[in-house]
Structures are given as C-alpha cells and as structure tokens.
Amino acid sequence: SVVRFTNHQLVNTVFPFYNSTYRNHKDGKSKGEGTDSKRVPTKSKAVAALYKKLAEVVSMLAQLLSVQPLTDSTVLLLSSVAISPFFVEPISELQLSALSLVTSIFAKYEKHRRLLLDDIMSSMSRLSSSRRNLRTYQLESQERIQMTTVLFLELIQCLAVLPLDLVGDKLVDTDSVITAKLTSAQRTAYVFLDMWLAKCSSKNEDTNYRQLLENFILDLLITHNKPEWSAAGFMLSVLGNLLVASVINKNLGSPVRLICLDFLGILVCRMREDAKQFEDKSNVVNQVISGIKFEEEAKQNQNVKEDDKDEERLTQPV
C-alpha cells in the first residue's frame, strides 16, 4: 500500500541519507554510499526529489485521514510514518507535513493516543541533549524552539479544537463540550509529563531524559506568553502541579524529589524573571498612556482658550 511504501522509503532511503545514525554499516561503508564518487551527486538529487515527493504524500495522507475512516493496523502504520521524522535532522519540510498527520491521528483516534505517546517517548533516545543546533523551529518573534516541542504543543492543542458548528447548534451543551476537551487535554498532558519524569528518575535509562526535559521546559518558557502556543502555559501549569505533588510526596525516593525540586526551581526562577519584565513593561506602558493623556488634556485646554478668545472678539463692540 501507499502507507507501507512511504514508511519503507523513509526508513531505508531518506532517513539514512540525511542522518548517519540510520545508516547500516557494512564492510566499513554506510548504506547509500557507493564506491564510485561520481555517482554520489546523482543519488543526492534522486533522494532529494524522493524526499519532496514523500513530504507531499504525507500531507495528502493527513487530508485523507480527515475524510476516510481507517483500520487500526493502518493507523498504527501511519503513526510510525508521522512520528519518526521528528527524530531525524535536518528534514524540516517533512516534519511539518508529519505534524499535520500526527495531530489528525491524535485528535481522531483516542485509543491510539497512549501508543503515540509511548512511541514518542521511546524515540526520544535518538535526540541529542546538547544545546548545539538544538532549536530549529523559528517563531514569529525570531526565537527558536525544538521541533519536538512543537510536536508536543500541537498534540495538546489539537485536543482542544472546538467544532466549527458548535455555537450554532442549540442541541449541544457548549460548556460541556469545552469542559470535556480541556479535561482531555489536561489528562493527556499529565500522562505524558508523568511518563517523562519517570524516565528522568529511572536508573536503567541510557538517554539523558533529565536534560531533554530541561530543554523542553526552557522552550515552554519561551512560548508560554504567545497566543499561538496556548498549550505552553497549560503544560507549565500541569507540570508545576506535578512537580509540587512529587516534591511533597514522601513515598517517593529522595533522588526523584530532588530532580523535581530542581525543575521546580527552574520554573520559579524564570517565571519570576518574566513577572519582573512584565512589571517593567507595564510601567513603560503606563508612562506612555499618561503622556498621551497629558497631551490630550493640554490640547483640549488650548482649544478651550482659543474658543474663549474667539467669543471675546465676537462680543466686543465695533
């Protein structure tokens, strides 16, 4: 099928070409490398062309998902196609196409959400926890965040999207629908962050999940005041409550509580800085408003004086 072909080409052709960690080494050579150096440019062009076509296919699969019910086996395969590009760099065009696909799956197929979260968490071992070339997605403010952060935020935000005909439908309780969607988003955020914290405290993990979570928190702090990333503040709230509950839970081991305390310290410190900046900006805005009001009052007083002079001229005898 198209889905199987797409997945096969991504895993065996596109990913190895763009990321060396996906290459199968054999006889000291990476998969996709030939002995004739003259053939490399041709192969590069061919893979680049295939990459663009696959990005288009993934976008069309997302559109198909919105109009056509699919079997569980197909959804599972689509999930693999949608998740895997986020852990390969640099394939931003394909990642944006995959973002549309994964959010469609996540919003439409509730019973697959936990499987998607598990797949994301297990795939995070491929991420680098270093800060070099970490943030590749540029915001409108010119700031940058990780592509995986975009994925997490979009997954939460897609759960809170309201139907277009909700307001005009008198048979539906609007408040109940909104509450249900927010509850679903909150529950999903809690489950995912709880899984992440558990990974941070596990001694059997080779991946530095603690550093990955810290990078994620820093991204949330960058985006939490931006209206287009409404899930950032939402996830910070959920994370804060989860960290506080973990710190005061004496049944947890000391290492886990210390990790949560460290993350809580990062949150409090940055939020305090943001509050100070907001206060400074508020003072500047208040000064500007006061200046505008003063100018308007001065202008009004000037107009009144001019009107009084005109009246005096009119009342004076000729």
Side-chain angles (χ1 to χ4, degrees):
S1 67
V2 174
V3 180
R4 292 185 183 278
F5 174 79
T6 302
N7 188 57
H8 177 79
Q9 292 299 327
L10 287 175
V11 173
N12 294 283
T13 306
V14 175
F15 294 167
F17 181 78
Y18 285 96
N19 194 314
S20 60
T21 58
Y22 283 82
R23 295 174 192 156
N24 295 323
H25 294 277
K26 184 178 181 181
D27 297 329
K29 297 176 184 177
S30 297
K31 184 179 179 180
E33 294 179 349
T35 55
D36 187 359
S37 60
K38 295 181 180 179
R39 298 177 61 185
V40 174
T42 303
K43 189 170 183 63
S44 300
K45 291 180 180 179
V47 175
L50 177 64
Y51 165 76
K52 291 185 177 181
K53 290 297 181 182
L54 290 177
E56 294 177 6
V57 170
V58 172
S59 296
M60 289 187 285
L61 288 173
Q63 297 175 15
L64 174 66
L65 197 68
S66 63
V67 296
Q68 178 65 43
L70 301 175
T71 62
D72 286 342
S73 58
T74 304
V75 173
L76 286 172
L77 192 56
L78 275 175
S79 299
S80 177
V81 171
I83 293 297
S84 54
F86 290 96
F87 303 95
V88 183
E89 294 292 347
I91 51 171
S92 57
E93 184 179 352
L94 181 59
Q95 288 173 343
L96 292 176
S97 298
L99 186 63
S100 177
L101 178 59
V102 70
T103 51
S104 297
I105 297 172
F106 205 74
K108 188 172 183 179
Y109 295 93
E110 182 177 356
K111 64 180 180 180
H112 286 272
R113 289 174 189 169
R114 183 56 188 258
L115 294 175
L116 280 167
L117 294 178
D118 290 337
D119 192 10
I120 292 172
M121 189 58 63
S122 62
S123 299
M124 288 180 66
S125 59
R126 303 173 192 166
L127 290 177
S128 171
S129 59
S130 65
R131 297 177 184 274
R132 185 178 181 183
N133 298 326
L134 183 66
R135 293 169 170 83
T136 58
Y137 185 87
Q138 183 170 311
L139 305 175
E140 292 183 1
S141 59
Q142 305 305 313
E143 296 171 293
R144 289 182 175 274
I145 60 175
Q146 302 169 95
M147 198 64 203
T148 48
T149 301
V150 176
L151 170 63
F152 302 144
L153 293 178
E154 287 287 359
L155 288 179
I156 299 301
Q157 289 182 177
C158 77
L159 298 180
V161 176
L162 299 175
L164 296 176
D165 57 347
L166 179 62
V167 178
D169 193 345
K170 297 181 179 180
L171 300 177
V172 178
D173 186 353
T174 304
D175 292 340
S176 298
V177 174
I178 295 174
T179 301
K181 285 187 171 292
L182 289 177
T183 301
S184 177
Q186 184 179 29
R187 187 187 308 114
T188 303
Y190 179 88
V191 168
F192 183 68
L193 292 171
D194 189 49
M195 289 168 55
W196 206 336
L197 279 175
K199 289 283 188 180
C200 292
S201 58
S202 176
K203 297 180 180 179
N204 300 323
E205 297 292 342
D206 296 330
T207 305
N208 191 352
Y209 283 98
R210 182 175 177 177
Q211 183 62 57
L212 293 174
L213 181 55
E214 182 177 340
N215 292 336
F216 175 64
I217 292 174
L218 294 177
D219 283 351
L220 291 182
L221 291 168
I222 291 173
T223 54
H224 82 283
N225 282 327
K226 295 176 172 51
E228 65 270 25
W229 300 107
S230 55
F234 185 77
M235 292 194 77
L236 281 174
S237 177
V238 174
L239 179 60
N241 291 332
L242 185 59
L243 291 174
V244 171
S246 299
V247 169
I248 64 177
N249 186 359
K250 295 182 179 180
N251 293 325
L252 295 176
S254 297
V256 179
R257 296 168 67 188
L258 286 174
I259 290 173
C260 293
L261 190 60
D262 287 342
F263 286 138
L264 199 58
I266 294 173
L267 279 179
V268 172
C269 182
R270 285 296 299 269
M271 297 295 282
R272 185 176 178 83
E273 290 178 3
D274 288 348
K276 182 65 171 64
Q277 292 177 2
F278 178 77
E279 183 179 353
D280 294 340
K281 290 179 180 179
S282 297
N283 292 334
V284 172
V285 171
N286 290 333
Q287 290 176 3
V288 172
I289 293 175
S290 299
I292 293 173
K293 288 182 177 179
F294 178 79
E295 291 178 0
E296 289 180 348
E297 290 176 357
K299 189 175 182 179
Q300 289 176 356
N301 293 334
Q302 183 66 27
N303 291 335
V304 170
K305 290 180 180 179
E306 291 178 356
D307 292 340
D308 291 341
K309 289 180 180 179
D310 292 339
E311 289 181 2
E312 289 179 1
R313 293 194 192 98
L314 293 173
T315 55
Q316 287 179 356
V318 179

